[in-house]
Amino acid sequence: GVYSLEIKADAHVRGYVGEKIKLKCTFRSTSSVTDKLTIDWTYRPPSSSRTESIFHYQSFQYPTTAGTFRDRISWVGDVYRGDASISISNPTLKDNGTFSCAVKNPPDVHHNIPVTELTVTERGFGTMLSSVALLSILVFIPSAVVVVLLLVRMGRKSAGLKKRNKSGYKKSSIEVSDE
């Protein structure tokens, strides 16, 4: 259907234990933003039908003061730019689940409610290895190439000087001699 209030959110978000995660939610309304605009974020754990309110916004931010996400939800949105995003600090494996973002901007109140599936995992050795590989590619390999090129150039200069000395090359009176 066609809605006068359209809301979009990432369908899947992947995060790592202990690293801040942003849950993006954007909206577009046919009405101007007023102090009646509300945003509600809810969470549903995997294999459960129970939902938990984790964040409410109406002119001010009201993160949850109880439950799983107490003191870990931050507002990172800007309602005047159509952004209703939040972030989760210090995520754990227990934070996996479904998040939904509901926006109401009277008279625009009928809309879709998008959901985001969050998957939090431990950062494994493979991820750390890929970071090391990326660092190697971006720093060490170019540095090694520069060093090799400089050595080759120095070797050629040295060979050229030896060749000149052997061919009976005579130094002018202004050249300084080591002899």
Side-chain angles (χ1 to χ4, degrees):
V2 176
Y3 299 103
S4 54
L5 180 63
E6 182 183 7
I7 306 170
K8 292 182 180 178
D10 295 330
H12 300 281
V13 172
R14 177 176 216 89
Y16 297 102
V17 171
E19 297 179 21
K20 189 177 267 193
I21 297 171
K22 181 178 180 179
L23 298 178
K24 190 173 178 184
C25 177
T26 58
F27 64 93
R28 196 169 59 217
S29 177
T30 57
S31 302
S32 297
V33 171
T34 68
D35 60 352
K36 292 180 182 173
L37 176 128
T38 61
I39 298 166
D40 287 293
W41 276 91
T42 58
Y43 164 74
R44 183 176 47 81
S47 66
S48 174
S49 59
R50 176 188 60 84
T51 59
E52 173 184 345
S53 176
I54 60 168
F55 184 86
H56 176 76
Y57 178 95
Q58 184 171 5
S59 298
F60 296 100
Q61 311 160 29
Y62 299 98
T64 185
T65 56
T68 312
F69 295 95
R70 184 187 67 201
D71 300 327
R72 297 192 301 131
I73 300 291
S74 301
W75 172 249
V76 292
D78 181 347
V79 293
Y80 297 103
R81 292 184 178 186
D83 189 352
S85 303
I86 59 172
S87 68
I88 303 171
S89 299
N90 300 315
T92 68
L93 297 174
K94 293 178 183 176
D95 295 340
N96 287 328
T98 305
F99 293 79
S100 62
C101 171
V103 179
K104 293 181 180 168
N105 187 33
D108 292 348
V109 292
H110 299 289
H111 58 79
N112 59 318
I113 298 179
V115 295
T116 299
E117 290 295 327
L118 175 64
T119 305
V120 180
T121 57
E122 293 276 353
R123 217 181 244 291
F125 181 72
T127 308
M128 291 188 302
L129 186 61
S130 65
S131 298
V132 169
L134 182 63
L135 181 65
S136 296
I137 290 168
L138 295 177
V139 176
F140 299 122
I141 292 174
S143 299
V145 169
V146 168
V147 167
V148 168
L149 289 174
L150 288 173
L151 289 173
V152 167
R153 187 168 181 207
M154 286 173 53
R156 284 185 183 164
K157 262 190 177 176
S158 175
L161 286 175
K162 285 179 185 175
K163 192 175 185 182
R164 277 194 241 156
N165 287 341
K166 287 182 180 178
S167 65
Y169 170 78
K170 297 191 181 189
K171 294 181 180 177
S172 75
S173 59
I174 32 177
E175 284 184 286
V176 177
S177 173
D178 292 337
E179 299 169 356

